[in-house]
């Protein structure tokens, strides 16, 4: 299961890097409309988040959000059009749309939290399995070598 998640994450990373390649920029270029711009509170350094909607090739309207640096934040206003790169791909057999604001260099979180969750679950499982084997071995040893008191 972990290998499957790791392979999907590496595939998403490569697709996302491919969005910002100069050679493929015109192929995936599109425009989006800004729906909301907000500042994420209680975070240092200050992080801004931009929510925007864009159309796919089949005409479906998608929404996306990404963190943006201050220099992009100060240029944007609600309802503005921005240039984005967008691409349709699949994740676990389900079609999704990846998008990125052209001037943004921030890296997206993608599904790394899911990978962290499975890595943590795998380590907890390994620890519990090791402890159970250890207690099982101690139990068998105590039964095999009974004291020779009469």
């Amino acid at each position: 299961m972990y290998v499957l998640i790791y392979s999907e994450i590496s595939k998403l990373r490569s697709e996302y890097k491919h969005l910002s390649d100069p050679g493929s920029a015109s192929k995936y270029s599109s425009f989006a409309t800004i729906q909301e711009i907000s500042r994420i509170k209680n975070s240092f350094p200050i992080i801004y988040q931009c929510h925007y909607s864009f159309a796919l090739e089949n005409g479906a309207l998608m929404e996306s959000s990404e963190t943006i640096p201050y220099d992009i934040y100060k240029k944007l206003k609600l309802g503005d059009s921005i240039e984005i790169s967008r691409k349709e791909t699949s994740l676990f057999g389900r079609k999704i749309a990846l998008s990125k604001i052209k001037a943004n260099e921030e890296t997206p979180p993608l599904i790394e939290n899911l990978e962290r969750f499975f890595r943590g679950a795998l380590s907890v499982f390994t620890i519990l399995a090791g402890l159970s084997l250890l207690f099982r071995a101690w139990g068998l040893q105590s039964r095999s070598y009974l004291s020779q008191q009469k």
Side-chain angles (χ1 to χ4, degrees):
M1 185 67 127
Y2 177 75
V3 173
L4 177 70
I5 291 173
Y6 181 78
S7 66
E8 289 290 325
I9 288 174
S10 60
K11 184 177 113 177
L12 275 180
R13 281 187 190 126
S14 68
E15 294 278 344
Y16 199 80
K17 285 180 185 176
H18 192 65
L19 276 178
S20 56
D21 287 344
S24 62
S26 62
K27 183 179 178 183
Y28 303 118
S29 184
S30 181
F31 286 94
T33 306
I34 297 177
Q35 302 292 324
E36 181 182 353
I37 304 170
S38 59
R39 177 181 165 192
I40 299 176
K41 295 185 182 228
N42 299 331
S43 66
F44 185 79
I46 298 171
I47 299 173
Y48 299 95
Q49 195 166 27
C50 177
H51 303 274
Y52 54 90
S53 60
F54 59 96
L56 294 177
E57 292 166 356
N58 63 1
L61 193 63
M62 298 291 290
E63 285 190 19
S64 183
S65 63
E66 68 184 89
T67 57
I68 54 174
Y70 179 73
D71 59 329
I72 295 177
Y73 167 78
K74 65 184 177 183
K75 295 177 188 174
L76 298 179
K77 296 202 178 3
L78 198 63
D80 283 352
S81 292
I82 52 171
E83 190 176 3
I84 63 166
S85 297
R86 64 168 168 72
K87 184 178 182 182
E88 292 180 52
T89 187
S90 64
L91 176 68
F92 300 115
R94 184 173 172 230
K95 289 278 191 181
I96 63 167
L98 293 177
S99 64
K100 179 182 177 182
I101 297 174
K102 286 278 186 161
N104 193 6
E105 297 300 321
E106 300 278 326
T107 57
L110 298 174
I111 57 170
E112 285 155 356
N113 290 335
L114 186 62
E115 182 186 13
R116 255 186 249 131
F117 171 74
F118 272 101
R119 193 180 307 144
L122 187 64
S123 60
V124 166
F125 173 75
T126 304
I127 290 169
L128 290 176
L131 285 174
S132 66
L133 287 175
L134 187 65
F135 286 132
R136 174 107 173 140
W138 280 342
L140 289 175
Q141 185 180 15
S142 66
R143 286 186 187 163
S144 300
Y145 302 109
L146 296 175
S147 63
Q148 302 210 0
Q149 295 176 356
K150 289 189 180 183

